[in-house]
Amino acid sequence: MTASYPALRLRRTRASQWSRRLHAETVLTPADLIWPLFVTEGQGVEEPIASLPGVSRWSLDGIVARAREAAELGIPCLALFPNTPSQLRTDDGREALNPDNLMCRAIAAIKEAVPDIGVLTDVALDPYTTHGHDGLVDAAGYVVNDRTADALVQQALTQARAGADVIAPSDMMDGRVGMIRAALEAEGFHNVQIMAYAAKYASAFYGPFRDAVNTRGLLKGDKRTYQMDHANAEEALREVALDLAEGADSVMVKPGLPYLDIIRRVKEEFRVPTFAYQVSGEYAMIETAVAAGAADRDAMVLETLMAFKRAGCAGVLTYHAAHAARLLNA
Ligand SMILES: NCc1[nH]cc(CCC(=O)O)c1CC(=O)O
Ligand SMILES: [Mg+2]
């Protein structure tokens, strides 16, 4: 039998700062953060993204500076996304396989300047295609699975050869994790990890990201034939089970806050490293609320990130990573 009021007062342990710290069940540190960064061509270029206030695309020199900043802040890993020049975008997204593409040059520049920071790379064709889809599109406009997966394997190998530490397929094709794992093993990339975007939903929260990589105006239709229906949770567990069986080292749920239930269920069911992507639309909601005077940025950033940890996440991809790390280091 547990005691009850007045012997038990749950407010007792909340009464002072030292006690609240002592009783905290969850901790958030800069080591829990992955910082997504947008890369663009040029030298000395910083292009602010209007729908992501406070986030910019950076040319390689700026990306390397961000990598140094992240290392100083204690952020262990960066996630890279390229803004491919429009003249290099094609129906088949073949620029994704070019060993000298923007992504590969960014990976190499970071690994040379800051060898100890992790570099996570997105595998999907959308920043390289003229139609904005993550894969190859047939005559009827359908994103075909198996031919896309073949291209993604080549894209992943291209990134691994450039020095990527974590391959993160975000495309939601069936079977691609196993195919990528086999190809990495065959080339000797035994320690290159795969973080599978296992449960990625067709979401209204990706809009600002599509501005950042310039696909919003290009995208024909939507991504509902490959990304998940937000009505579904059991299906997310099946997606995670398959990606783990195919060799994923960790799994991701995306978007973040509206899908905390999925994160929790994945963590309880599989007990594997589970990550969340607090996506561009979530970042924009916080920044818009702050600009409207409706919210305190620092408090909201830390509270939302702690929510992911409490739900069971090993870490979170967030555009607020540097800001949060500064707050946590203060
Ligand atoms: N493969 C595309 C990709 N990789 C990461 C995001 C979204 C990230 C964000 O919104 O912050 C998307 C967008 C999409 O699926 O259309
Ligand atoms: Mg899948």
Side-chain angles (χ1 to χ4, degrees):
M1 262 291 276
T2 1
S4 61
Y5 173 86
L8 188 65
R9 294 175 184 267
L10 289 181
R11 291 186 56 192
R12 207 173 278 139
T13 55
R14 293 175 206 147
S16 58
Q17 160 78 2
W18 67 262
S19 179
R20 289 192 294 273
R21 286 178 56 222
L22 191 62
H23 287 84
E25 296 173 35
T26 311
V27 285
L28 176 68
T29 78
D32 298 316
L33 306 174
I34 298 175
W35 192 9
L37 294 168
F38 298 105
V39 196
T40 202
E41 287 289 356
Q43 170 70 31
V45 177
E46 176 184 359
E47 297 169 346
I49 300 150
S51 58
L52 274 178
V55 177
S56 297
R57 302 182 200 101
W58 302 90
S59 51
L60 291 191
D61 50 304
I63 283 291
V64 168
R66 297 290 75 70
R68 291 191 206 282
E69 185 183 346
E72 275 158 28
L73 289 167
I75 295 170
C77 188
L78 308 174
L80 300 181
F81 300 94
N83 173 34
T84 306
S86 56
Q87 71 276 12
L88 296 176
R89 299 188 193 208
T90 55
D91 266 10
D92 61 3
R94 74 183 80 101
E95 176 65 6
L97 315 187
N98 173 4
D100 197 36
N101 67 19
L102 188 54
M103 186 70 150
C104 292
R105 281 179 280 129
I107 298 164
I110 293 169
K111 293 308 302 186
E112 189 186 321
V114 194
D116 287 339
I117 203 153
V119 174
L120 177 151
T121 55
D122 200 73
V123 169
L125 298 182
D126 53 311
Y128 310 92
T129 57
T130 40
H131 44 68
H133 279 292
D134 292 23
L136 304 171
V137 176
D138 70 11
Y142 186 74
V143 174
V144 297
N145 193 87
D146 298 11
R147 279 201 297 122
T148 296
D150 288 336
L152 299 175
V153 167
Q154 296 310 315
Q155 181 183 19
L157 285 174
T158 305
Q159 294 170 351
R161 290 174 193 138
D165 298 296
V166 187
I167 300 294
S170 72
D171 55 285
M172 290 297 281
M173 297 303 116
D174 287 322
R176 89 290 200 214
V177 169
M179 292 167 67
I180 291 171
R181 186 70 262 162
L184 290 172
E185 293 298 319
E187 272 210 33
F189 293 116
H190 306 298
N191 284 337
V192 171
Q193 303 175 27
I194 298 177
M195 182 187 292
Y197 285 69
K200 176 172 177 180
Y201 287 82
S203 172
F205 286 90
Y206 304 151
F209 174 94
R210 292 178 187 168
D211 291 332
V213 296
N214 272 308
T215 60
R216 200 205 279 264
L218 299 177
L219 184 60
K220 302 225 167 40
D222 58 52
K223 301 191 176 183
R224 286 185 288 181
T225 69
Y226 45 108
Q227 299 177 350
M228 280 185 59
D229 183 341
H230 58 243
N232 296 354
E234 298 288 343
E235 188 186 346
L237 302 181
R238 298 180 73 196
E239 284 284 5
V240 169
L242 283 170
D243 286 356
L244 290 172
E246 291 176 29
D249 300 285
S250 56
V251 294
M252 192 203 297
V253 174
K254 178 186 174 193
L257 280 191
Y259 297 86
L260 281 182
D261 59 322
I262 308 297
I263 293 167
R264 187 55 167 188
R265 289 183 68 176
V266 166
K267 185 66 191 175
E268 284 186 347
E269 179 101 4
F270 299 99
R271 304 188 175 280
V272 296
T274 303
F275 291 80
Y277 198 146
Q278 185 176 43
V279 297
S280 58
E282 298 178 68
Y283 173 95
M285 284 201 325
I286 293 175
E287 288 302 316
T288 309
V290 170
D296 174 337
R297 176 186 291 114
D298 296 357
M300 213 173 243
V301 166
L302 294 180
E303 184 176 339
T304 56
L305 292 175
M306 187 67 93
F308 291 112
K309 290 296 305 289
R310 197 182 61 237
C313 281
V316 189
L317 289 89
T318 175
Y319 300 97
H320 279 122
H323 184 69
R326 256 177 238 115
L327 295 173
L328 293 167
N329 289 330

